[in-house]
Each structure stands twice: as structure tokens, then as C-alpha cells.
Amino acid sequence: MKSFSKTQQIKIGAVISYLAIIVSTLSALLYTPWMKDKIGDANYGLYTLVGSLIAIFLMDFGLSTAVTRFVSKFRAENDDVAIKDILGCVFKLYFIIDVIIALILVVVYFFLGDIYQGLTPLEIETLKKIYIVFGAYSVFSFPFMPLPGILNAYEKFIQLKLCDMLQKVLTVLLVVVALLCDYGVVELVAMNALAGIITIGVRLIILKVAKIGRPNFAVKNKEMLKSLLGFSIWVTILAFAQRMIFNFASSILGMVSNSMEIARFAPASQLEGYFYTFAFAINGLFMPTVARYDHQKDEKSFYALLEKVGRYQICVLGLLFVGLTVLGTDFMQLWMGEEYKISGICVMLLIFPCLLMYPQQIANTLISIKNKIKYQAICFLSIGILNIILSFILVPKLGALGSAISIGIAYFVNFILLNIVYKWQINLNLKNFYKKVYLKYLPLIALAIAISFLTCYFIQIIGWLGFVVKVIVCIIVYILIIGLMGFSHQERKNIFATFKKKLTRRTNGEKIKIE
């Protein structure tokens, strides 16, 4: 019997993450236009609106992040008692907060018509029905939010990512079934909820079998509770501030615009979400590693990991950015229809600042480990307020485009503020990172965009066939530029050697055990 090492867990977990993303993304891209046509533009807008509204209230109040942070820390210190105690504190707090959330959601329900005055009376009635289903599922699922954090902290990355994949695939399958049965928008929401409930059950089974994550509900450790709340309150502010960006966007569009503009913003937000998902597919896997480096004061290994992950992230995300920048408008027009063409420009505005921020996620992880989360929260709170102000100025005139512009500006400001935090609060020297990641790869990405634009301009094939041809052109151009100019000769040799080894390696027939 062979067990997976920690390194193998990370690698396989990453592969599963990308497979799950590819499956769910391709499936969603296929059924979203179908769903929009089935339920109508207005209902599609309401479908996305309720999800963003519920998410405003359904924060985990920093406790999910706290689980990963504290359990990783206590595991590095081999303190099993402290792990059980902190989990006991967390789950009791989750239950109390869940009751409060339920009460808030009930109150908000009676004011939906007053909040969204841009919607028609019939749309408000549909909105209320969707809200009830979304709200009930949210209240049920909230106490189980720590489960992924526990799996992450115990470095059960394969099981963690398999559960994520299960939920994505189940959601797609159940939504497709609902569409085939000609169900309405309320039933579509119910299918999403059912997929989530099944996934929660699977996570509970995994934890029970592995005999981990057992909380001590009898704990009465005031110091631990104080430490937990001290960390969590800033993560709560951070979570709320983050929701002031995308989740408030649909609500603001509903207040000062109309359901069509909500619908136009939705696919742009959806593609940005996929961009985010690709960026974070492997990042959460490194918190236990970063915690060990910090505990051991191993700065050399930390900076090596920061630069390695940063280079990897910007190369992967750079390809997505090139494709969405060059072909985003064409894709939206083919995918959603002529009236959604503006959504392609919105995507480009949303993801450019993310191309800068996401390669720094190892530094972002260190903020949590060092309990400096309050500075990150202050950054997001500042740009959240900035985004709301800009949105109310731009959205009435520009609709979805105005929302995308305000978010893009806010995210770029956030990138600057976070780098100030990295320098002055956790004493990171990012000069080598800037040189090896940004200065090296951003010009190459810009060059790839320019060449791809020029090449695709001369391709006269129309429709999906033409789009596929252009995608292939963009991929080839990007790989050639990054491969020839972004990697040294030795790095290219190492990459080819690795692929050759993987392809020629024989399996030994041993059964593998997942711990």
C-alpha cells in the first residue's frame, strides 16, 4: 500500500482543482445561454441578483479562515488539545451567528420591494420566491462552513478538492435536469441548494472516517475565545468589504438601473469568477506550508515559494487574460447574444487588476498567518467604499459598464494598498518578486495581446468556427512568446524533461491509499 506524501497531496489536489474548474466552467458556458433563453433575461438577472444579495449576509465572519489559520498553527506546534478546543469555540459561534442571520434575512424579505425599486411588481414577486429558497439553504449550510477549512488545515487536499469537484458537477447536472424538465427559476435555485446539501454530507463522512476535526463543545477557554474573536472580527470586516465589490454591484444595478443591466453584468462577473477560481485553485493548498515556514523562520524557503507560485500564477492567468482581452467581446456576442456584447469589455476591466493581485497570494496568506488581517481588511473596506461611491456615479449613465469601471478602479487601488501592507506590516522585500514576475512577464503578456489582436484581425471566418480558430491562434502566440522569452534555456529543458519522464514512467500496479 502506498500513501500520498504532502507534496503529492498538493500536486494531485491542484490537478483535481483544475479538472473541476474545467468541467464546471465548460458546462456552465454551455448551459448559461440555454438557461437564459429558457427563463428569460429578466429572470436570469433576478437569479444572479438573489445570489449576490444572500451572499452579502452569508459571511462566515472570519471563522472559516480562523479554522485554517489556527488549526495549521496548532498542528505545526503539535497541540492536539488546542485544536479540539478551537474547533469547539468556532462551531458554537457559528450556531449563534446562524440564528442572527436567519432573523436578518426574514426582516430583509419584507423590504425587498422598497430596496429594488428598479424592478417591476411581477419581478419583485419572483424575486421573493427565489429569496426564500436561497435564504433557507443559506441558513442550513452556514454552520458547516468550517468543514473545508478543517480539511485544508489537515492537508487533506485530495479529499477537499474532490468535494469541490463533486459540488460543481452535481450543480451542473441538476440544473441541466431542471432545464430539460422545463422547470422555472425557483426550481433552478433549489437544484443549486440540493447539490450543496449533498456535498456537506460527503464532507461530514470524510471527517468522520479520517477521525479529524472533532470539536470540544465543552471548552470554556476565554483566552482562546478572545484570540479567535480578535482575529475573526477583522476577517469579518474583510469579508464584508469584499462583498461591497461584486455582491453590491448587482444590488446597485437593481436600485438605479434595471434587470437587463443586471443580466449584462452577470456573465462578465461569471467569467471574472472563473478567473478568480483558476487563480485560487492551488493557493489555499499552501497555508500549512507557509505556517511551517513562518514557525521555523525559514525566510529563504518562503521567498522561493512566493516567487515560484507567483511566476506560475502569472503565466497561467496571463493566458486567460490574453484570451479574454482579445476575444472577450466576440465570445459574449456568440455566447449570450448581440445585446451582451458590452459584457466582453466589462470582463477585461474586471480582470486586469486581478492579474496583478493574484500572483501575490502567498504573501496574502502570510498576512493571515501573522495575524495582520486587520490591515488587509482596512484596504478592502477603503476600496469597497470607493467602489460604492463610483458605482452610484457611473451606473445610472453607463449601467453594467459603469459597474465594471468602478470595480476595476477599486481593485487597482487595492493592489497598491496591499503592497504597502506587505512592505510595512509583514516586512516583505518584494523587489526580486517584482523583477522576476511583473517586469519579466507583463511586457510579454502585452506583446502577446498585440500580436494576437493583429493576427485575429485578418481571420475572416465567422461564427463559432472562427472563434475556435482565433482561440487556437491566441494560445499558440502566447505559448511561443512565454516559452521562448519567459523561460531560460535550462528551464525549458527541465520542463521538457519533466513531461518526458511523466509520459514514459511505468506504473508499478501498487494500490494507493489516500490518507
Side-chain angles (χ1 to χ4, degrees):
M1 300 290 286
K2 181 181 177 181
S3 301
F4 286 124
S5 66
K6 293 175 181 176
T7 301
Q8 289 173 320
Q9 283 269 352
I10 291 176
K11 289 181 178 179
I12 296 173
V15 171
I16 295 171
S17 293
Y18 286 124
L19 285 175
I21 292 167
I22 291 170
V23 170
S24 64
T25 301
L26 290 178
S27 301
L29 292 177
L30 290 173
Y31 76 67
T32 297
W34 181 28
M35 178 175 67
K36 190 248 318 177
D37 292 338
K38 281 276 189 178
I39 65 178
D41 290 316
N43 281 339
Y44 174 63
L46 296 177
Y47 177 82
T48 60
L49 172 60
V50 174
S52 65
L53 174 62
I54 295 293
I56 293 172
F57 301 101
L58 199 66
M59 297 183 294
D60 65 9
F61 295 87
L63 297 175
S64 182
T65 304
V67 168
T68 305
R69 189 257 180 185
F70 281 102
V71 173
S72 296
K73 179 178 180 293
F74 292 143
R75 285 193 71 224
E77 298 169 359
N78 295 314
D79 192 342
D80 291 333
V81 175
I83 291 174
K84 293 180 180 179
D85 288 349
I86 197 69
L87 290 178
C89 289
V90 167
F91 278 107
K92 286 194 289 187
L93 284 172
Y94 262 98
F95 178 76
I96 295 171
I97 296 171
D98 196 33
V99 174
I100 297 172
I101 289 175
L103 294 174
I104 293 174
L105 289 176
V106 170
V107 172
V108 171
Y109 172 81
F110 293 102
F111 291 93
L112 289 176
D114 297 320
I115 296 172
Y116 298 110
Q117 297 183 10
L119 304 180
T120 67
L122 182 60
E123 288 172 342
I124 291 295
E125 288 301 313
T126 304
L127 179 70
K128 288 182 177 180
K129 294 176 183 178
I130 303 172
Y131 182 90
I132 291 173
V133 179
F134 251 128
Y137 166 69
S138 300
V139 171
F140 168 80
S141 64
F142 182 80
F144 299 102
M145 279 189 174
L147 301 185
I150 295 171
L151 289 171
N152 192 8
Y154 275 92
E155 299 176 280
K156 301 296 182 182
F157 303 130
I158 296 176
Q159 294 90 329
L160 173 67
K161 296 305 178 182
L162 282 174
C163 286
D164 292 343
M165 185 171 189
L166 173 66
Q167 183 166 0
K168 288 181 172 66
V169 172
L170 269 179
T171 300
V172 171
L173 290 176
L174 291 173
V175 168
V176 168
V177 169
L179 291 173
L180 288 173
C181 295
D182 290 324
Y183 290 152
V185 64
V186 177
E187 288 80 6
L188 290 179
V189 175
M191 292 301 182
N192 279 271
L194 179 58
I197 292 170
I198 294 173
T199 306
I200 288 171
V202 173
R203 287 183 180 131
L204 288 171
I205 292 172
I206 291 172
L207 290 173
K208 183 177 180 180
V209 171
K211 298 180 180 180
I212 60 175
R214 296 185 174 181
N216 175 19
F217 290 109
V219 63
K220 295 181 180 179
N221 190 327
K222 292 183 178 179
E223 288 299 318
M224 180 173 286
L225 182 61
K226 181 180 179 181
S227 178
L228 176 64
L229 291 175
F231 177 83
S232 298
I233 191 169
W234 285 109
V235 182
T236 300
I237 295 173
L238 173 61
F240 180 77
Q242 289 173 326
R243 279 160 175 74
M244 293 171 69
I245 309 297
F246 275 95
N247 295 115
F248 275 30
S250 295
S251 292
I252 293 173
L253 284 165
M255 293 175 189
V256 299
S257 190
N258 54 62
S259 59
M260 188 63 213
E261 290 302 322
I262 299 173
R264 286 193 177 108
F265 182 78
S269 177
Q270 186 176 348
L271 290 186
E272 191 280 337
Y274 295 144
F275 191 82
Y276 171 91
T277 304
F278 265 92
F280 280 76
I282 64 167
N283 188 69
L285 307 178
F286 291 102
M287 180 172 276
T289 303
V290 174
R292 281 196 296 272
Y293 289 158
D294 183 61
H295 180 68
Q296 298 166 0
K297 300 190 183 304
D298 189 351
E299 291 188 0
K300 182 178 179 181
S301 296
F302 171 80
Y303 280 111
L305 180 66
L306 173 68
E307 292 171 9
K308 181 178 180 180
V309 174
R311 290 182 69 195
Y312 171 82
Q313 291 278 55
I314 202 166
C315 287
V316 173
L317 299 179
L319 175 59
L320 297 176
F321 181 72
V322 169
L324 290 171
T325 300
V326 176
L327 303 174
T329 301
D330 291 345
F331 174 73
M332 285 294 179
Q333 188 174 359
L334 289 168
W335 181 40
M336 299 295 288
E338 182 69 29
E339 65 272 23
Y340 286 85
K341 192 173 182 179
I342 193 68
S343 303
I345 300 174
C346 293
V347 174
M348 183 183 66
L349 293 170
L350 293 174
I351 65 176
F352 174 67
C354 301
L355 180 66
L356 302 177
M357 286 194 298
Y358 293 161
Q360 295 184 330
Q361 286 305 309
I362 295 297
N364 197 48
T365 300
L366 188 62
I367 287 181
S368 297
I369 297 296
K370 287 187 171 293
N371 202 10
K372 298 289 186 179
I373 199 77
K374 68 178 181 180
Y375 298 103
Q376 185 185 20
I378 292 171
C379 291
F380 266 96
L381 187 61
S382 301
I383 64 121
I385 294 171
L386 173 63
N387 175 61
I388 290 176
I389 294 172
L390 290 174
S391 293
F392 277 108
I393 295 173
L394 298 175
V395 168
K397 296 180 180 179
L398 300 175
L401 181 61
S403 186
I405 293 172
S406 64
I407 292 174
I409 293 173
Y411 265 22
F412 187 76
V413 172
N414 188 50
F415 168 72
I416 296 172
L417 293 177
L418 284 175
N419 277 264
I420 294 173
V421 171
Y422 298 149
K423 172 66 176 177
W424 297 108
Q425 293 302 324
I426 55 177
N427 300 315
L428 286 184
N429 184 353
L430 296 177
K431 289 183 179 178
N432 283 335
F433 180 87
Y434 296 148
K435 180 180 178 181
K436 294 180 180 180
V437 177
Y438 294 137
L439 290 180
K440 185 171 185 177
Y441 291 101
L442 288 179
L444 298 181
I445 292 172
L447 179 61
I449 291 173
I451 294 176
S452 296
F453 258 127
L454 183 62
T455 307
C456 291
Y457 177 79
F458 292 101
I459 297 176
Q460 300 300 315
I461 306 173
I462 61 174
W464 281 108
L465 177 61
F467 177 78
V468 171
V469 171
K470 291 176 183 178
V471 168
I472 295 172
V473 167
C474 288
I475 293 173
I476 292 173
V477 168
Y478 185 82
I479 290 176
L480 287 176
I481 290 175
I482 295 296
L484 295 176
M485 304 171 67
F487 296 99
S488 66
H489 177 69
Q490 186 59 45
E491 286 174 329
R492 289 194 295 272
K493 285 182 63 176
N494 292 340
I495 292 172
F496 286 125
T498 300
F499 275 111
K500 184 178 179 181
K501 181 179 178 182
K502 295 290 184 181
L503 291 172
T504 58
R505 187 173 60 185
R506 296 180 180 179
T507 58
N508 57 15
E510 288 183 324
K511 293 183 179 180
I512 298 175
K513 176 184 176 184
I514 301 177
E515 291 188 334

